[in-house]
């Protein structure tokens, strides 16, 4: 059981900056809105982001459906999830990081709820917008202000200013040169507290002020600000005096007018002698407040004041302070933009990694050969388009996997992917499968059926073996591709869909068109984009990768433990023609895993066929008996064997030499001797 006493420590740059106590009998709300228990001036924080509460001896945190989420020790809490937290865990809300603690504290000197108003306003906040106080600026009812001077735009930065005015300096001698130097340093910092420190130190040195503070609103250029939402970010005083908070009257005056003001302040009412002496030592003589602006939006204010009669603020100080405030506004906007870009870049990289993992998981496309690199590039380009796609290749090369990869890489990835093999359904039923049918359309149609086109609406329809479709159905299919509308079989109601069609075939469609078995207009309509998948024998470098992948997969499924393929088995796999392509390789490896023995897959574990690859013809004449002996010289046999090996391996002489069992130099001599040339 956890202690009812708990607290949050604000962590910034690895250091503890603020301490907030938690109450077991009340819910602690965290968010950007002023109504929260802990108000966070953080642009990535939602108005009501999360809450922390104590229940049945355990502290919990609950995300309130925030836009950017809540993290506990880098673990994302799902929306509305109630998550138990333990002492020492870190809670991240937007850019803000807290450490959760339980038990009694040795010191409570920086607890915000145990401070007075003036002490609360002294505490710096840390990074951009993290509130150091739970209250707005204190209003002194006995305080009256008199405006001594005001300006909407400083002459130092105003375009077209008279050079004499541009050379205006403060009473201490600071001018445009020092302002330029300050702007240079502000452009190099990356945190808001560093900007505040540089600005305040520069103003204390440049003006006659004895105290200065930088106050900020929640950063949002697109929302309406409220004067009461302002929070102190940093402050500094001369001679280690206590910082006097800005009054609400001054905040509202500057906020409403959007100008810089120089005020004279005085206290009214009778005071005792003791109170008068104390007032004389800490009474503000005059105050200056300048709005920090960017794109006509007030981001915050610079607050300066004097206490002694010997120091005062004048018109030149006001000009210089407003110039510093405008420079700070640009620096703050750039820092926030940089943080947004960094956050967006991190999110984009995370989404990119997720999409790549999803693509790999969904497609299982394995291979690192140059041909497969080209296929991956074509997949990414085809995924960007919305037009129809034709995938061509021999049976077993993975055309459906290519179609899945295109779908999951496209903007339709969250929509349905419907697959249909046109060769697996009879001609009479294929129209019903594609377009659906009405009740009673034909014998056996007892109910209305939704076709594949309707099921794939807003998604992707993959039609395998498109070359098997009859010509009568091809005509209707073409009309759907061109108009995206059709009628169900036996119906008269037009159905309109938004479907991307991906078709695949292992046939030579050009030959089918020439012989009149496939419509030429449908061929050109499907072939807007085309991906030709190479057979496995033309990407020999992928065979070991695929074999190891299937071996690991089937070992997990069967519980068998193999260390890999021995050298002889791998040579056989590399030298085989693979008429069934990747599908055949998968089946060969699966059989070897089930029936093999030992630590490695042996050559005798591999069952390979003697079929020709698709499109190839036997070297024997059709009428010639297969058992007829044709005498050849050893030289002719060697020549034929070498040339066929080289052609099979695409003239890769190094691999061919290994397959032939000779040295590479020996192979070169034989190629020269027999006059072999690459076709």
């Amino acid at each position: 059981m956890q202690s009812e006493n708990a607290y949050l420590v604000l962590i910034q740059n690895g250091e503890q900056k603020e301490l907030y106590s938690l109450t077991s009998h009340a819910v602690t709300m965290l968010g950007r809105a002023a109504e929260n228990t802990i108000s966070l001036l953080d642009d990535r924080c939602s108005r009501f982001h999360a809450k922390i509460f104590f229940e049945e001896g355990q502290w919990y945190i609950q995300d309130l459906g925030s836009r950017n989420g809540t993290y506990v020790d880098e673990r994302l809490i799902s929306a509305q999830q109630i998550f138990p937290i333990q002492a020492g865990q870190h809670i991240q809300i937007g850019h803000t990081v807290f450490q959760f603690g339980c038990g009694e504290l040795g010191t409570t000197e920086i607890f915000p709820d145990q401070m007075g108003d003036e002490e609360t306003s002294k505490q710096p906040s840390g990074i951009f917008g993290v509130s150091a106080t739970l209250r707005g600026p204190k209003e002194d009812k006995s305080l009256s202000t008199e405006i001594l001077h005001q300006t909407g735009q400083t002459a130092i930065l105003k375009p077209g200013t008279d050079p004499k005015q541009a050379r205006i300096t403060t009473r201490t001698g600071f001018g445009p040169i020092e302002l330029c130097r300050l702007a240079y340093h502000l452009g190099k910092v990356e945190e808001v507290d560093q900007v505040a420190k540089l600005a305040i130190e520069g103003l204390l040195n440049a003006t006659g002020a004895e105290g200065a503070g930088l106050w900020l609103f929640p950063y949002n250029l697109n929302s309406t600000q409220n004067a009461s939402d302002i929070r102190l970010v940093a402050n500094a005083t001369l001679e280690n005096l206590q910082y006097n908070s800005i009054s609400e009257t001054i905040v509202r005056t500057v906020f409403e007018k959007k100008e810089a003001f120089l005020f004279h302040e005085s206290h009214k009412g009778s005071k005792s002698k003791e109170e008068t002496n104390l007032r004389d030592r800490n009474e503000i003589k005059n105050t200056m407040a300048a709005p920090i602006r960017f794109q006509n939006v007030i981001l915050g204010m610079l607050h300066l004041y004097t206490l002694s009669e010997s120091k005062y603020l004048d018109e030149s100080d006001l000009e210089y302070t407003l110039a510093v405030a405008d420079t700070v506004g640009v620096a703050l906007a750039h820092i926030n933009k940089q943080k947004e870009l960094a956050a967006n870049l991190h999110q984009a990289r995370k989404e990119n990694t997720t999409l790549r993992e999803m693509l790999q998981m969904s497609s299982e496309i394995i291979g690192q050969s140059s041909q497969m690199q080209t296929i991956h590039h074509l997949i990414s380009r085809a995924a960007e388009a919305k037009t129809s796609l034709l995938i061509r290749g021999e049976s077993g090369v993975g055309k459906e996997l290519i179609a899945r990869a295109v779908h999951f890489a496209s903007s339709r990835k969250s929509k349905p992917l419907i697959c249909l093999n046109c060769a697996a359904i009879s001609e009479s039923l294929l129209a019903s499968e594609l377009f659906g049918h009405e009740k009673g359309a034909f014998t056996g149609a007892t109910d209305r059926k939704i076709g594949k086109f309707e099921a794939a609406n807003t998604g992707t329809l993959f039609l395998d073996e498109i070359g098997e479709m009859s010509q009568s159905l091809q005509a209707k299919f073409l009309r759907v591709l061109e108009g995206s509308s059709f009628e169900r079989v036996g119906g008269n109601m037009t159905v309109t869909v938004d479907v991307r069609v991906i078709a695949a075939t292992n046939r030579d469609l050009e030959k089918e068109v020439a012989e009149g078995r496939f419509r030429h207009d449908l061929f050109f309509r499907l072939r807007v984009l085309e991906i030709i998948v190479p057979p496995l024998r033309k990407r020999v470098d992928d065979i070991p990768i695929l074999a190891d992948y299937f071996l690991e997969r089937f070992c997990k499924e069967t519980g068998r433990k193999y260390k890999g393929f021995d050298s002889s088995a791998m040579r056989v796999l590399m030298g085989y023609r693979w008429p069934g392509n990747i599908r055949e390789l998968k089946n060969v490896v699966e059989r070897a895993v089930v029936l093999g023995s030992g630590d490695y897959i042996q050559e005798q574990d591999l069952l390979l066929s003697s079929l020709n690859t698709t499109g190839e013809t036997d070297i024997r004449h059709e009428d010639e008996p297969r058992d007829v002996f044709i005498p050849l010289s050893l030289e002719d046999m060697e020549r034929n064997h070498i040339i066929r090996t080289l052609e099979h391996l695409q003239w890769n002489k190094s691999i061919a030499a290994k397959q032939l069992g000779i040295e590479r130099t020996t192979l070169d001599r034989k190629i020269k001797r027999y006059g072999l040339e690459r076709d």
Side-chain angles (χ1 to χ4, degrees), residues 201-219:
E201 289 179 351
L203 288 173
L204 288 179
N205 292 330
T207 66
E210 296 178 276
L214 190 147
W215 298 71
L216 289 180
F217 292 104
Y219 188 92

Side-chain angles (χ1 to χ4, degrees), residues 61 97 123 131 148 178 191 203 210 218-219 226 233 280 285 310 370 441 457 499 501 510 526 548 565 607 611 630:
I61 185 170
V97 178
Q123 301 302 324
S131 173
L148 300 180
E178 287 73 18
E191 297 294 339
L203 288 173
E210 296 178 276
Y219 188 92
N226 192 329
V233 173
D280 291 340
K285 305 304 180 184
S310 60
S370 59
N457 188 29
V499 175
V501 174
E510 287 87 348
L526 290 173
D548 290 337
F565 297 86
L607 180 62
L611 295 175
I630 302 177

Side-chain angles (χ1 to χ4, degrees), residues 544-560:
I545 300 174
L546 288 165
D548 290 337
Y549 169 77
F550 288 130
L551 178 64
E552 180 180 0
R553 172 179 167 180
F554 293 124
C555 283
K556 289 181 180 179
E557 292 181 1
T558 61
R560 306 293 297 272

Side-chain angles (χ1 to χ4, degrees), residues 465-479:
E465 305 296 347
I466 192 68
E468 305 293 336
M469 186 180 292
S470 65
Q471 284 197 336
S472 59
L473 193 56
Q474 289 176 24
K476 189 173 182 180
F477 180 50
L478 177 61
R479 289 198 300 270

Side-chain angles (χ1 to χ4, degrees), residues 384-526:
E384 299 172 358
K386 298 181 180 179
T387 55
S388 56
L389 169 65
L390 180 61
I391 303 175
R392 305 173 71 177
E394 296 179 5
S395 178
V397 295
K399 296 186 290 296
E400 183 174 345
L401 298 183
I402 301 295
R404 290 181 177 274
V406 172
H407 171 76
F408 285 111
S410 70
S411 58
R412 299 173 181 254
K413 59 182 178 295
S414 60
K415 304 301 180 181
L417 170 64
I418 305 299
C419 301
L420 178 65
N421 191 328
C422 298
I425 303 174
S426 64
E427 179 182 347
S428 59
L429 294 179
L430 185 56
S432 174
E433 287 292 329
L434 284 174
F435 310 115
H437 62 254
E438 297 289 349
K439 180 179 180 181
F442 51 85
T443 303
T446 57
D447 294 294
R448 170 189 284 184
K449 178 180 179 180
I450 300 300
K452 301 299 184 184
F453 265 103
E454 286 185 80
N457 188 29
T458 70
T460 304
L461 175 62
F462 173 63
L463 299 177
D464 199 5
E465 305 296 347
I466 192 68
E468 305 293 336
M469 186 180 292
S470 65
Q471 284 197 336
S472 59
L473 193 56
Q474 289 176 24
K476 189 173 182 180
F477 180 50
L478 177 61
R479 289 198 300 270
V480 177
L481 289 180
E482 293 179 343
S484 299
S485 60
F486 58 91
E487 295 177 358
R488 300 188 188 97
V489 177
N492 53 13
M493 184 179 66
T494 301
V495 179
T496 302
V497 293
D498 173 22
V499 175
R500 183 185 187 182
V501 174
I502 300 178
T505 183
N506 61 357
R507 288 194 175 191
D508 185 351
L509 288 186
E510 287 87 348
K511 182 179 179 181
E512 297 291 311
V513 171
E515 297 179 357
R517 290 191 294 268
F518 198 84
R519 295 178 61 98
H520 70 281
D521 47 1
L522 178 58
F523 171 71
F524 290 117
R525 186 64 180 82
L526 290 173

Side-chain angles (χ1 to χ4, degrees), residues 17-18 109-112 115-126 131-138 200 212-215 231-237 240-246 305:
K17 292 291 185 179
E18 294 271 341
E109 59 183 4
I110 60 173
F111 267 52
M115 296 180 184
D117 286 343
E118 293 182 349
E119 290 186 359
T120 301
S121 64
K122 291 171 56 180
Q123 301 302 324
S125 74
S131 173
T133 103
L134 306 183
R135 312 166 182 84
K138 181 182 177 183
I200 290 174
L214 190 147
W215 298 71
R231 295 291 185 270
L232 180 65
V233 173
N235 66 84
T237 60
N240 295 323
L241 297 175
Q242 176 179 298
Y243 173 72
N244 289 330
S245 178
I246 190 172
Y305 63 86

